Amino acid sequence: MTDTLPVADLVDQHCHGVLRTELGLGTFEARLATAGGQAAPGTTFFDTQTGFAVRRWCPPLLGLEPHCPPAGYLARRRELGVLETGRRLLRATGVTTYLVDTGLRGDLTGPAEIAVASGADARELVRLESLAEQIADTSGTVESFLANLAEAVHASAASAAAFTSVAAARHGLEPDAGPPGPGAVRGAAGRWLAGREAERRAARTGGGGPSAPYAPLDDPVLLRHLLWTAVACGRPLQFHLHASDPQRLAGFAAATAGLGSDLVLLRSYPYHRHAAQLASVHPHVYADVGAAPARTGARAAAVLAETLELAPFGKLLFSSGAQGLPELHVVGARQFREALSRVLGDWVADGAWSRTDATRVAAMIASGNARRVYGPA
């Protein structure tokens, strides 16, 4: 019999804001997809582990029965309104601190709005690529761009909880993990800025206007320069892996050892064991354990146990990875709590662990490790 363990308050070390607008069935459903897009004709994303978890955890928070039909749930959502729905859901997560990635486009709430809705603390995560793209739009020359970029990164380090980057997902960092030389950086910046200017002119000519989206930063040399600029600030650096193999970061992890900046591997599932192994090798590398339970639903405990096989428990941190829907914040927190309680409770019931140690480790993973890595606000 499983020994149910209390899981203390949560620090959500990586999430996004929630949408400010009301959603129809199709739009809501699309937000349940882990990779975006629309469901195939005749199917629904409610028929996924995430969809079933939403129907389990969220309806009671809005005054409905668990597992009620999606149409009934969304009708209740519209009745309450987007603000009240968000408030009820976010306040039911048990999260005491949110670290909010502000680097996505769209009508998403920021840290201040998350704090008001949830009644919790919220801090900003600065996405490096988005910061560079903003600087590029206000810098006329290569020299001014690089100077402004360095200044912006260092200024952000003074207030941000951490930096985040999608470099590992957009471009692997092997085998060139070290900082690129000044000449290579200037050349890469020149090519990228010229490409953006060409796209801007084409958008104006084609009627797209100055607000048309431009190609994201994906030059490998410029990405490495950006990462090393952030590492020099000494703040934690989160890597979005988006189901790519964390071993792509092995060289960068080795190169940054001892420099004072912790690396945190986000969303590594289904390579979660690789992330745990990398965290076990390098003192400054940490692995995220929260997003996988949100995606795997009823199998969350099994997936979490696989991560706990390899990584030291002081190197694991929770996040929901939630984006757009407050329901995903609820699912992330509830699935993680249940999975962690079940895994550690089984070990206590088997006599492998004491209940005291299990409770202590649960608190470490849920919030203690995050507070140690990211520090006070």
Side-chain angles (χ1 to χ4, degrees):
M1 180 179 295
T2 298
D3 185 356
T4 302
L5 293 172
V7 177
D9 62 294
L10 301 178
V11 171
D12 189 342
Q13 68 147 350
H14 183 269
C15 65
H16 302 273
V18 300
L19 289 165
R20 299 185 179 96
T21 53
E22 298 284 358
L23 302 177
L25 178 61
T27 307
F28 185 96
E29 178 184 285
R31 291 281 177 171
L32 296 176
T34 57
Q38 299 293 320
T43 70
T44 170
F45 285 135
F46 275 103
D47 286 338
T48 60
Q49 292 284 11
T50 301
F52 272 77
V54 166
R55 291 176 57 209
R56 174 191 181 185
W57 295 114
C58 297
L61 302 177
L62 304 187
L64 301 173
E65 291 296 318
H67 305 293
C68 72
Y73 177 77
L74 291 178
R76 176 59 173 163
R77 208 179 187 275
R78 289 190 296 272
E79 178 185 347
L80 290 171
V82 65
L83 293 178
E84 178 61 15
T85 296
R87 188 190 70 82
R88 290 192 184 193
L89 295 175
L90 290 176
R91 293 189 177 217
T93 62
V95 173
T96 57
T97 303
Y98 293 90
L99 305 188
V100 184
D101 184 341
T102 57
L104 291 183
R105 295 187 179 96
D107 189 24
L108 298 173
T109 56
E113 292 166 281
I114 288 287
V116 170
S118 66
D121 294 328
R123 302 172 63 188
E124 184 180 14
L125 300 170
V126 173
R127 183 173 292 199
L128 290 171
E129 292 79 10
S130 298
L131 181 63
E133 290 156 11
Q134 293 168 12
I135 298 299
D137 291 335
T138 58
S139 300
T141 66
V142 170
E143 288 73 19
S144 65
F145 166 69
L146 292 175
N148 292 342
L149 181 60
E151 182 180 352
V153 171
H154 283 81
S156 297
S159 58
F163 294 111
T164 71
S165 173
V166 293
R170 289 183 181 176
H171 192 282
L173 298 179
E174 301 286 355
D176 298 321
V185 172
R186 285 193 296 271
R191 291 189 297 273
W192 183 59
L193 292 175
R196 286 177 67 86
E197 179 58 30
E199 291 179 358
R200 185 178 290 108
R201 288 196 300 269
R204 287 197 296 264
T205 303
S211 62
Y214 306 114
L217 174 57
D218 59 2
D219 182 276
V221 173
L222 206 48
L223 285 171
R224 278 194 292 129
H225 171 70
L226 190 57
L227 294 175
W228 280 96
T229 302
V231 166
C233 296
R235 298 300 299 151
L237 175 55
Q238 299 178 344
F239 282 97
H240 298 251
L241 294 169
H242 295 299
S244 59
D245 193 338
Q247 291 300 327
R248 302 173 77 184
L249 288 168
F252 188 79
T256 54
L259 298 183
S261 183
D262 291 326
L263 310 182
V264 184
L265 310 180
L266 302 173
R267 301 182 67 177
S268 59
Y269 181 80
Y271 297 101
H272 48 292
R273 279 176 162 156
H274 292 185
Q277 191 275 334
L278 206 59
S280 72
V281 171
H282 299 284
H284 67 307
V285 176
Y286 292 77
D288 177 80
V289 297
R295 290 180 58 186
T296 52
R299 290 284 298 164
V303 173
L304 180 60
E306 290 174 348
T307 303
L308 294 173
E309 291 173 3
L310 294 168
F313 308 123
K315 306 296 290 299
L316 302 174
L317 302 92
F318 161 76
S319 80
S320 67
Q323 173 188 332
L325 302 179
E327 285 83 357
L328 298 181
H329 288 269
V330 172
V331 167
R334 296 290 181 94
Q335 291 289 134
F336 169 74
R337 284 176 182 272
E338 182 179 80
L340 187 62
S341 178
R342 183 180 300 176
V343 171
L344 299 188
D346 281 346
W347 295 348
V348 171
D350 289 343
W353 284 34
S354 72
R355 184 178 177 82
T356 299
D357 281 338
T359 301
R360 179 176 58 84
V361 169
M364 288 166 53
I365 298 173
S367 60
N369 292 339
R371 291 196 175 97
R372 175 167 47 83
V373 171
Y374 299 106

